Amino acid sequence: MSNTQENNSSLIRTVFEWVELLAFSVACVLIVLNCFVRYSPVDGISMNKTLEDKDILILSNLFYEPDVGDIIVFASDNSNGKLGTGYNKPYVKRVIATEGQHVVIDAAEKKIYVDGKVSECEKYAFYDPARSGYPWTDIDVIIPEGHVFVLGDNRYNSSDSRALGPIDTRDIIGRVVFRLLPFDSIGTVE
């Protein structure tokens, strides 16, 4: 075999190895994105100041059990105001209470109590003075098994469990683990 033929054969093997490596890498990324993590955009201002409209989030649902303070994305069906019957729009909200906890919202005081204490998630709450007329209603509910109670951090501008009721955990797409975009805010989200 001549030197030229050996070089051509070596080049073909090298190209084939690179194509094989690239195909394997793409397959691994697709498996990870479809099985272990997902991404979701933020649509709206209900999570301001924690998250902004158009932020891109990375979610995980692997071995996930909802916990107070988690930011989750869940499926909704806006056509009848109830969840679980169809997928229309993903909601991004913070878990305020889990199954068995007692939630009381005092509309006059604009206070949220969980098990008799002011919610620990109030430290994330944003009360936009421009929306101070947002209607509040009194709520007194014990969260049923397999459900969570969620609120948007922007308390005056959020469709959440105050209107939707407790959220079925089967409708949770995932817990927010990372903000991917915008680049100046990239990182974990609290």
Side-chain angles (χ1 to χ4, degrees):
M1 193 184 276
S2 75
N3 207 11
T4 306
Q5 289 175 329
E6 284 180 26
N7 286 343
N8 284 344
S9 179
S10 176
L11 178 65
I12 291 171
R13 265 185 275 144
T14 302
V15 169
F16 180 74
E17 287 171 0
W18 277 103
V19 168
E20 189 176 46
L21 179 64
L22 180 64
F24 179 75
S25 298
V26 168
C28 287
V29 167
L30 290 174
I31 288 169
V32 166
L33 289 177
N34 284 315
C35 298
F36 303 113
V37 298
R38 295 175 186 232
Y39 78 94
S40 178
V42 175
D43 182 17
I45 61 173
S46 72
M47 285 299 290
N48 286 8
K49 298 287 181 176
T50 306
L51 300 171
E52 303 291 332
D53 187 35
K54 307 294 185 237
D55 284 0
I56 302 294
L57 308 172
I58 300 295
L59 318 173
S60 176
N61 200 12
L62 189 64
F63 309 116
Y64 177 63
E65 288 294 324
D67 198 13
V68 172
D70 290 350
I71 299 174
I72 62 169
V73 176
F74 60 93
S76 71
D77 179 358
N78 282 339
S79 63
N80 63 9
K82 299 293 180 192
L83 298 175
T85 57
Y87 181 80
N88 187 12
K89 170 186 169 187
Y91 279 68
V92 181
K93 305 295 176 199
R94 186 177 303 278
V95 175
I96 302 301
T98 59
E99 64 182 56
Q101 291 189 295
H102 184 202
V103 175
V104 174
I105 296 181
D106 186 321
E109 290 184 30
K110 294 183 176 55
K111 296 274 185 188
I112 296 133
Y113 299 94
V114 177
D115 294 334
K117 298 177 183 171
V118 173
S119 169
E120 64 185 66
C121 295
E122 282 304 285
K123 64 185 174 188
Y124 305 108
F126 171 63
Y127 292 92
D128 184 356
R131 298 284 303 221
S132 62
Y134 189 81
W136 283 64
T137 56
D138 288 329
I139 293 177
D140 188 340
V141 63
I142 294 177
I143 309 308
E145 185 177 339
H147 289 73
V148 293
F149 193 91
V150 298
L151 293 175
D153 287 354
N154 186 352
R155 297 286 195 261
Y156 289 148
N157 195 17
S158 177
S159 286
D160 46 39
S161 287
R162 292 175 289 179
L164 302 170
I167 306 305
D168 192 319
T169 56
R170 293 174 295 186
D171 291 324
I172 296 175
I173 298 167
R175 175 180 61 94
V176 175
V177 294
F178 197 78
R179 179 180 7 221
L180 187 59
L181 294 173
F183 287 121
D184 62 345
S185 298
I186 197 167
T188 57
V189 180
E190 189 175 323

